[in-house]
């Protein structure tokens, strides 16, 4: 092989490795995929991929007054008891905890795998929420006395992987958030 | 030898797990309302109720105890003292009311306090009863809930005792429109 060919092959190899590395980095990162579909004459279909790797560092730059949420004095949050509650839920076998069915709406709260499911069906709307129990563990870590640290709370989203986190179907719009 | 020891270990682990899961009690509530086609089913582990109670702090509920507002009840009754007297009697009928409108029966049957209410629509139409209620409360459940002093109901002790109860019905109320059943399994 001649020298120019060797240089071209080396450059192509480097570019290929860089490209492959970039793809692997993007693929290994957590993404929130937000899909919004509005209905009606001016229907809009939005797909917004949000790389969580960019969100977490930017949380450190949020304004001072938004870094903490004050819990009202009349609400007493017992973090240990709430953590114990999550642990009991984790130890439970899968199944329905609450099931309400009326002529106009159905509500279901259940545990499936390590996730808590909340499904609400009304005549007009359909809401499905799937939250891993690990998410609650993380959120509870963000409670400090009567304050909630927003950055730590947001980092709880790292526990939501490879699932449809939220799905809302209504006459006005459909919203779905996947975590990948 | 090693194989049989390993097998024995696995069997012990599995049986231990089965005993643990079998000892876990769940409280079930079923409500059905015929007139508006509503069905509610709640099924939660008793252990979850216990920790949920720890999370609950209100003016009335503190440290797992519910304070009875005797001013609101407009009477000053020492429920614990009354119960301490009542529980001395085994297999006794405490109340029996039979009238044209309703039959009420309150008795102790072994380890159970039984309350049966039958509301009638007219004098001789028992078949057309509009409401029946059957409450079977284990004596040790009443012991637990009234274990506290100062007009308080000890909900924490009640939940702890629920976990020790054998499977079975606690409350069943049936009228023409509504059916309520609470049971442990």
């Amino acid at each position: 092989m001649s020298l120019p060919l060797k240089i071209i092959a080396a450059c192509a190899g480097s570019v290929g490795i860089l490209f492959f590395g970039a793809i692997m980095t993007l693929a290994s990162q957590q993404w929130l995929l937000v899909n919004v579909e509005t209905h009606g004459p001016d229907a809009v279909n939005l797909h917004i991929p949000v790389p969580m790797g960019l969100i977490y560092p930017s949380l450190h730059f949020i304004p001072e007054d938004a870094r903490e949420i004050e819990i009202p004095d009349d609400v007493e949050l017992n973090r240990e008891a709430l953590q114990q509650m999550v642990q009991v839920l984790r130890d439970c076998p899968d199944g329905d905890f609450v099931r309400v069915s009326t002529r106009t709406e159905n509500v279901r709260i259940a545990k499936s795998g390590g996730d808590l499911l909340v499904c609400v069906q009304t005549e007009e709307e359909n809401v499905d929420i799937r939250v891993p129990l690990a998410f609650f563990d993380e959120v509870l870590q963000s409670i400090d006395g009567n304050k909630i640290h927003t950055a730590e709370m947001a980092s709880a989203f790292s526990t939501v992987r490879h699932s449809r986190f939220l799905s809302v179907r209504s006459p006005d719009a459909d919203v779905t958030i996947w975590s990948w | 030898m090693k194989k049989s020891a390993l097998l024995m270990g696995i069997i012990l682990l599995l049986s231990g797990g089965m005993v643990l899961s079998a000892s876990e009690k769940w409280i079930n509530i079923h409500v059905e309302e015929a007139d508006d086609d509503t069905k509610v089913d709640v099924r939660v582990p008793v252990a979850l109720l216990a920790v949920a109670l720890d999370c609950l702090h209100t003016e009335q509920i503190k440290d797992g105890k519910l304070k009875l507002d005797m001013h609101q009840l407009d009477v000053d009754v020492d429920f614990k003292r009354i119960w301490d007297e009542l529980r001395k009697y085994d297999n006794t009928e405490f109340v029996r009311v039979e009238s044209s409108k309703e039959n009420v029966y309150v008795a102790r049957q072994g380890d159970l306090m039984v309350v049966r209410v039958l509301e009638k629509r007219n004098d001789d139409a028992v078949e057309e009863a509009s409401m029946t209620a059957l409450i079977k409360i284990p004596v040790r459940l009443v012991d637990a809930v009234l274990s506290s002093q100062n007009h308080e109901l000890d909900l924490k002790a009640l939940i702890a005792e629920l976990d020790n109860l054998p499977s079975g019905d606690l409350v069943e109320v049936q009228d023409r429109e509504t059916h309520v059943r609470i049971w442990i399994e």
Side-chain angles (χ1 to χ4, degrees):
Chain A
M1 194 188 279
S2 64
L3 185 65
L5 268 178
K6 278 183 184 169
I7 293 169
I8 290 168
C11 288
S14 310
V15 169
I17 287 166
L18 278 175
F19 182 71
F20 183 71
I23 294 285
M24 289 305 286
T25 309
L26 285 174
S28 65
Q29 222 188 84
Q30 188 193 4
W31 290 76
L32 279 188
L33 307 174
V34 183
N35 184 25
V36 182
E37 247 179 89
T38 61
H39 305 306
D42 303 319
V44 179
N45 197 346
L46 283 174
H47 293 280
I48 312 162
V50 185
M52 292 305 285
L54 285 182
I55 300 289
Y56 298 136
S58 60
L59 287 171
H60 297 286
F61 302 104
I62 55 176
E64 192 77 40
D65 54 346
R67 285 185 189 174
E68 287 172 348
I69 302 167
E70 290 261 351
I71 301 167
D73 287 337
D74 53 335
V75 179
E76 272 185 54
L77 278 183
N78 184 343
R79 193 167 81 170
E80 284 74 29
L82 289 168
Q83 279 170 331
Q84 222 181 324
M85 209 157 145
V86 176
Q87 188 55 47
V88 172
L89 280 172
R90 191 174 281 126
D91 295 340
C92 281
D94 286 0
D96 292 358
F97 296 126
V98 178
R99 207 177 245 279
V100 180
S101 93
T102 69
R103 275 185 207 139
T104 52
E105 60 184 26
N106 292 322
V107 178
R108 180 177 168 238
I109 301 174
K111 188 198 162 198
S112 169
D115 299 342
L116 194 70
L117 312 179
V118 180
C119 309
V120 182
Q121 276 181 334
T122 65
E123 283 172 335
E124 294 195 325
E125 286 178 342
N126 247 357
V127 179
D128 285 308
I129 303 171
R130 186 179 193 107
V131 189
L133 290 169
F135 178 85
F136 295 109
D137 272 334
E138 288 290 319
V139 169
L140 290 173
Q141 292 296 328
S142 66
I143 299 171
D144 177 18
N146 64 337
K147 283 174 189 158
I148 299 174
H149 298 289
T150 40
E152 282 179 40
M153 191 168 75
S155 71
F157 278 96
S158 65
T159 59
V160 187
R161 295 300 297 261
H162 311 300
S163 70
R164 196 172 64 178
F165 182 64
L166 171 80
S167 160
V168 180
R169 293 188 183 282
S170 72
D172 299 328
D174 294 345
V175 179
T176 314
I177 303 175
W178 286 276
S179 171
W180 196 255
Chain B
M1 182 66 187
K2 268 184 189 173
K3 268 186 187 172
S4 59
L6 187 68
L7 195 67
M8 192 67 105
I10 290 170
I11 290 168
L12 275 173
L13 273 175
L14 285 175
S15 56
M18 279 161 80
V19 166
L20 272 178
S21 62
S23 69
E24 196 173 87
K25 287 283 169 13
W26 291 64
I27 188 151
N28 296 265
I29 301 169
H30 173 79
V31 180
E32 208 171 323
E33 286 189 3
D35 59 342
D36 62 352
D37 247 350
T38 300
K39 274 186 200 167
V40 178
D41 282 291
V42 178
R43 186 171 182 269
V44 285
V46 172
L48 190 67
L49 287 185
V51 283
L53 189 64
D54 286 340
C55 301
L56 204 64
H57 290 280
T58 66
E59 246 175 61
Q60 268 81 40
I61 301 174
K62 268 193 186 122
D63 302 322
K65 288 173 185 168
L66 172 72
K67 204 168 182 66
L68 293 175
D69 190 349
M70 301 312 282
H71 296 295
Q72 208 174 24
L73 290 174
D74 214 19
V75 282
D76 192 7
V77 184
D78 191 340
F79 290 110
K80 186 174 163 49
R81 214 167 141 198
I82 293 172
W83 173 245
D84 286 343
E85 282 304 312
L86 280 179
R87 82 176 312 287
K88 290 176 187 164
Y89 303 95
D90 229 0
N91 293 317
T92 311
E93 198 176 290
F94 296 114
V95 179
R96 181 182 279 273
V97 180
E98 287 184 0
S99 73
S100 57
K101 287 182 179 170
E102 61 188 6
N103 291 352
V104 180
Y105 169 84
V106 181
R108 167 136 182 215
Q109 293 176 356
D111 291 334
L112 295 173
M113 281 300 292
V114 178
V115 179
R116 215 164 35 220
V117 180
L118 179 74
E119 267 187 15
K120 299 173 195 171
R121 282 171 74 188
N122 57 49
D123 292 15
D124 47 9
V126 178
E127 309 72 51
E128 289 184 56
S130 58
M131 196 273 275
T132 59
L134 176 63
I135 302 171
K136 290 191 281 185
I137 306 281
V139 168
R140 57 193 211 204
L141 218 55
V142 188
D143 283 342
V145 81
L146 293 177
S147 59
S148 194
Q149 305 286 339
N150 307 324
H151 301 307
E152 284 177 334
L153 298 182
D154 196 336
L155 301 179
K156 204 168 187 167
L158 173 83
I159 292 169
E161 203 50 57
L162 278 176
D163 215 12
N164 298 324
L165 287 182
S167 299
D169 283 14
L170 293 177
V171 176
E172 184 152 24
V173 179
Q174 172 82 66
D175 70 7
R176 274 175 300 158
E177 281 107 34
T178 313
H179 178 219
V180 179
R181 185 179 166 223
I182 303 174
W183 73 103
I184 293 274
E185 67 176 13

